Amino acid sequence: MILCITHSRDFYNIDLFFEYLTSKNIPYFRLNSDQLNNAQKISISQNSFEIIDESGNTLKSEDIKSVWHRKSWRISTPEELDEEYKNIFIKEYSTLRYNLFTALEHVPWINPFENENKIDGNKIFQLKIAEKNGLIVPETLFSNDAEAITAFFHSHCNGKMVAKLHGVISKSMGGENFISTNIIDEDSLENIVDIEYCPMIFQPYIEKKYELRIVYLDGEFFTGKINNSENADWRIARGNYFWSEYHLPENIETSLTAMMKEMGLYMGAIDMIHGKDGSYYFLEVNPQGEWGMLQKDLNFPIAQRIADNLIKRMKTNE
């Protein structure tokens, strides 16, 4: 059995994944990470665990032969729970979930759980590895200090800077409810005084031909470009914008492959910019970033390749 860890509002990508597994007669189990709470019965011992999910389906650890960590999301709290108990509810169920996931480290994952957490939770570390492997990385500052950010703006940004959150607040394919990347110029710089309430990542604005969303999957590349040169981020592009297939230069693929191997990741959604100066700029890699729009618009068989990778490694691990 292949375990797919996702959340209750996830769709499309996992539907394609499950359809493909069904065609191959491979059993699977969908585990909604946000529902790993009082809606499910969970028992973990030193050597095994058992879950009875919200629909009454039973999952036993010994049946799981590989794991796709598609998405994890915030654990839901019951409406009837007193406000004063919500923090401890989330803390203890988060700990239970962590114990559950790490009990499966001996089977193949996309991606290995601890590797993914480290890379996903440290964008500055990502940039170091990318630069080490020959990729161009913009000057970057992660800060809550208005004076330091202002100095960075004047010394590195040539009058235009981008600000973005380290994480995201949406997991959807459409990008709804994102606090998106923002452009900061001289006029808006004065609003940076409130940054102490929400530290952000700052980089010089790069004049771009287009943005690239690159799905790396164990040495294979699925790359889409979007004709979005004026917006700060492809996620907020609306109107006459579309994805088209793109072929990366060989040297960029070589550097990205080396970077992903050093990170210990089988899969990642990589954001890059092809600048008007002809250079390729690495921005970040999201270990389980969104790619549904590339499969939908460009017919890339990404869901199928994820399944193939897990099936192959599952059989090798037997």
Side-chain angles (χ1 to χ4, degrees), residues 16 18 58 66 97 102 130 137 140 148 174 197 200 214 242 257 275 299 302 304 307 312:
L16 294 172
F18 292 153
T58 300
S66 63
R97 186 169 75 177
T102 54
V137 173
T140 304
Y197 298 106
M200 299 184 79
I214 305 158
F242 56 88
T257 299
N299 295 315
I302 299 170
Q304 293 84 349
K312 177 183 176 181

Side-chain angles (χ1 to χ4, degrees), residues 108-225:
W109 281 61
I110 290 184
N111 289 294
F113 186 63
E114 297 293 357
N115 294 1
E116 182 169 293
N117 283 346
K118 182 176 182 179
I119 298 302
D120 197 36
N122 195 334
K123 297 291 173 65
I124 300 300
F125 181 59
Q126 289 186 20
L127 299 181
K128 287 181 180 179
I129 298 178
E131 205 164 39
K132 176 183 173 183
N133 286 284
L135 295 164
I136 300 173
V137 173
E139 290 289 337
T140 304
L141 179 68
F142 189 12
S143 179
N144 72 340
D145 183 338
E147 290 186 9
I149 295 162
T150 301
F152 178 82
F153 177 86
H154 290 302
S155 60
H156 294 290
C157 298
N158 197 28
K160 205 171 183 182
M161 176 171 71
V162 295
K164 56 187 177 182
L165 293 177
H166 189 286
V168 297
I169 60 170
S170 171
K171 296 285 186 179
S172 67
M173 189 170 78
E176 295 87 355
N177 299 319
F178 269 99
I179 295 179
S180 60
T181 303
N182 296 301
I183 298 177
I184 296 174
D185 57 19
E186 193 75 50
D187 293 334
S188 56
L189 187 62
E190 63 184 33
N191 298 322
I192 211 70
V193 292
D194 292 330
I195 190 64
E196 65 187 63
Y197 298 106
C198 184
M200 299 184 79
I201 293 175
F202 299 90
Q203 294 175 327
Y205 180 81
I206 299 168
E207 297 291 340
K208 56 195 171 190
K209 290 182 180 178
Y210 36 75
E211 291 179 77
L212 301 172
R213 168 59 49 128
I214 305 158
V215 176
Y216 171 92
L217 186 51
D218 201 17
E220 193 170 6
F221 290 88
F222 301 95
T223 303
K225 74 171 184 178

